[in-house]
Amino acid sequence: RDMSGWYLQQFIKLGAAGAIQGLSRHFVVWDADMIPLRPLQLFVVPPRRMGAAMPTQTLVNIGGAQPPGYGLAYEKLLRQPLLAAPDGSSFVTHWMVAYQPFVEEFLGAITGNVTGKPPPAVWVDTILDALPPQHLDMGFSEYASYISFVRWRHPQSQRLAAKKTWLRYGLGGEAAIRLGRALSPRGLCCPSRHSLLAARLLGYTYSGMDIGHVPQCGLDAPRHAESYGVPLG
C-alpha cells in the first residue's frame, strides 16, 4: 500500500500555519472523512480562581487508536514518551484545534531549531527520518505528536474531553459499512441520512466514514481514481 499521500496530508496540516496568509492563530485541522453531527466545542473557559480569569483552553478529544509506530517516532524526535489519555486511548481523533505559535514551537523542537521556524524541507525530512522501519504503514501521527508536545510544554492550554463522543466508522462499525455497500444501488460505502441522524440522537458529536480501511469499499480501485461516487465534469 502506497502511504505517501497519507504522510503528505499530515505535513500539509502541520505546514498550514506557515503557509496560509491570514490564518487565525487558533485554527481547526479536520479530516475530510469526518462528518460533524452537531456544533462542535472548540474551547473551554476555565472557572475563575481567586477572582482571576484563567486563559481559555482548547478542547482535546480522546478515544483514538494507539499504533506502536506513533510512539516510536515521537520518542525518536523529542526523546520523551508519547502521551495518552487517562483511559489509555490516543489523541488521534481526526480533528483538533491547533495554535500557530505551538505548531511552530513543535516543528522547531523536532529539528533542534529553538530560535525560529525551520523551513518545511527540514522538518519534513526530520519526520521521515524518524519513521520506524517496522511500522512504515503507520509511523507518525500529526495529531498525537502535536497534542502530546503541547501537553508536555503547555498543559494549562488544553482541556481533555471527559469521554469519547465520536465514531470512526459510523454506527455499527465496519460491518455496517459493508452492509451499506451491499444495499447501495451504486455499490458505494457512503453513510445514510438515517445512520447519521441516529448517531446524533445517541449523543455523538461527529462520525467518520473511514472507508480506506475497509477493503470491500474499493477506495483504491481504478474506477475511483478521480473521485469516489461524485461525477466529475
Side-chain angles (χ1 to χ4, degrees), residues 25-98:
R25 286 171 72 81
H26 284 98
F27 63 97
V28 172
V29 173
W30 183 273
D31 281 3
D33 54 5
M34 294 289 122
I35 304 168
L37 302 175
R38 62 182 70 248
L40 299 170
Q41 181 180 3
L42 307 183
F43 302 101
V44 177
V45 180
R48 299 174 70 91
R49 293 182 181 176
M50 303 296 291
M54 302 299 292
T56 299
Q57 300 171 310
T58 58
L59 182 67
V60 175
N61 288 289
I62 65 173
Q66 191 79 281
Y70 294 171
L72 293 173
Y74 184 85
E75 290 182 20
K76 185 173 181 179
L77 288 167
L78 291 161
R79 291 175 173 76
Q80 61 189 25
L82 187 72
L83 297 179
D87 64 357
S89 66
S90 81
F91 305 121
V92 185
T93 59
H94 306 281
W95 77 275
M96 67 178 179
V97 180

Side-chain angles (χ1 to χ4, degrees), residues 11 77 110-111 119-131:
F11 300 149
L77 288 167
I110 66 175
T111 58
V122 175
W123 60 260
V124 168
D125 285 347
T126 300
I127 293 174
L128 291 175
D129 288 342
L131 301 181

Side-chain angles (χ1 to χ4, degrees), residues 151-232:
R151 292 196 64 73
W152 276 110
R153 296 280 187 97
H154 310 281
Q156 74 285 352
S157 71
Q158 297 178 332
R159 173 77 64 87
L160 295 186
K163 62 179 182 179
K164 180 179 179 179
T165 61
W166 58 281
L167 298 164
R168 183 176 183 185
Y169 297 104
L171 286 177
E174 294 184 47
I177 291 180
R178 290 191 291 268
L179 176 61
R181 177 184 178 276
L183 298 176
S184 169
R186 295 188 294 166
L188 298 175
C189 296
C190 297
S192 70
R193 176 179 180 274
H194 300 292
S195 67
L196 295 176
L197 179 59
R200 175 174 175 166
L201 292 175
L202 289 172
Y204 292 101
T205 58
Y206 64 104
S207 177
M209 188 53 55
D210 201 350
I211 61 176
H213 293 278
V214 183
Q216 293 86 344
C217 293
L219 185 64
D220 297 330
R223 67 183 183 279
H224 300 313
E226 298 297 329
S227 72
Y228 190 84
V230 179
L232 299 178

